[in-house]
Amino acid sequence: MCGRTACTLAPDEVSRACSYRTRGGQRREPRWRQGDADKYRPSYNKSPQSMSPVLLSHRHFNKSAPIDECVLASMRWGLVPAWFKENDPSKMQYSTNNCRSESILEKKTYKDPLIKGQRCVILADGFYEWKRQEKDKQPFFIYFPQTKGSSEDKTEEEDDPTTSACNKENSETACPPDLASPDSTQEGEAPDEWTGWKLLTMAGLFDCWTPPGGGEPLYTYSVITVNASKSLESIHDRMPAILDGEEEVRRWLDFGEVKSLDALKLIQSKSSLTFHPVSSLVNNSRNNSPECLQPVDLNSKKEPKATASSKMMMSWLKSSTSSKRKDPDTGKSPEKKEIKTEAQSKPAGGLQQWLQGANKKPRTK
């Protein structure tokens, strides 16, 4: 299953992180659908019913758009089928946050949008999953490996048991967003390839529901899930269907060329993810702070050994100064003030030091 994610990049960074190559080989950055960038709220702890960035073919909104053109949209997590007759979507009596790949063609809620080609890619820094233990559940943050590609960093990561799910062939060079190449400023000039945080790309289905009495259409989505890969099954028996690489994303979104049954062949368990345990702070969806992502040591109170991926997370977070992060509710930069937390009484270093001292909130724009 997938019941909580994190997506903290600003709208313009999401666009840069989703750059893709057209059939002609040109690199493009998907534009946000009009007004949708303002609907998206970056968060360290996204739960169902919240708005998330979704990548899809522009032809769903404009039939005359180029066949290979993608667009970004903000959609609500939890699919509301077009045929739902109630005036209030919250009156749905069953959960549609996740869609099991094995039963997509058996349930009208998912079969209809699949047949119509309403496939999308849900974007996130990563997702949270809880491992059942004797008395409670231990949360983990799961994401694409964030490595520099050096042999030194890879050796560190291979030696760490918490990153055993990492597939080095799918790792990608990463650097803090502030150090990434800037967007092109001249018309027609292709943007440089994104070298910041590598977003997780999850396969999903979407639908458009309009209130029976009239009103603004509501776009919603469901995350497709599959059996967990061997590297993740110790945490949970299910996982999101991961689209690994630009070609898989392209094929999943190209509903014109790739028919539904062929697209379903892309939905497989993949061992291309890495993970680390995090604090139970994430258990409460109202908690929305960098501490939600902070690695914890399950065996001691000491700071866990840094891995290549956690170092990249540290650099990525550290590059985002307080002045750049705005309050998701007010749109204003947070005031600089010291807030003591339980974590501040523990030894700090690297990622933990920044998390304790910055008091940063997710970026908006």
Side-chain angles (χ1 to χ4, degrees), residues 263-299:
L264 288 179
K265 295 176 183 178
L266 297 170
I267 305 303
Q268 301 176 5
S269 301
K270 296 189 175 76
S271 297
S272 54
L273 305 179
T274 186
F275 57 87
H276 63 250
V278 294
S279 166
S280 59
L281 186 72
V282 75
N283 293 358
N284 189 330
S285 61
R286 290 191 296 270
N287 293 329
N288 180 18
S289 67
E291 284 82 0
C292 292
L293 299 175
Q294 178 176 323
V296 298
D297 193 321
L298 300 181
N299 300 315

Side-chain angles (χ1 to χ4, degrees), residues 131-132 228-237 275:
K131 178 180 180 179
R132 290 186 178 276
S229 62
K230 291 184 178 180
S231 53
L232 294 178
E233 61 185 7
S234 62
I235 299 177
H236 199 276
D237 62 348
F275 57 87

Side-chain angles (χ1 to χ4, degrees), residues 40-51:
Y40 159 60
R41 289 290 182 268
S43 174
Y44 295 98
N45 195 358
K46 277 188 173 294
S47 59
Q49 308 308 314
S50 63
M51 304 296 285

Side-chain angles (χ1 to χ4, degrees), residues 104-105 114 252 259-268:
I104 284 182
L105 295 174
L114 176 68
W252 179 253
K259 302 304 179 183
S260 300
L261 294 181
D262 290 329
L264 288 179
K265 295 176 183 178
L266 297 170
I267 305 303
Q268 301 176 5

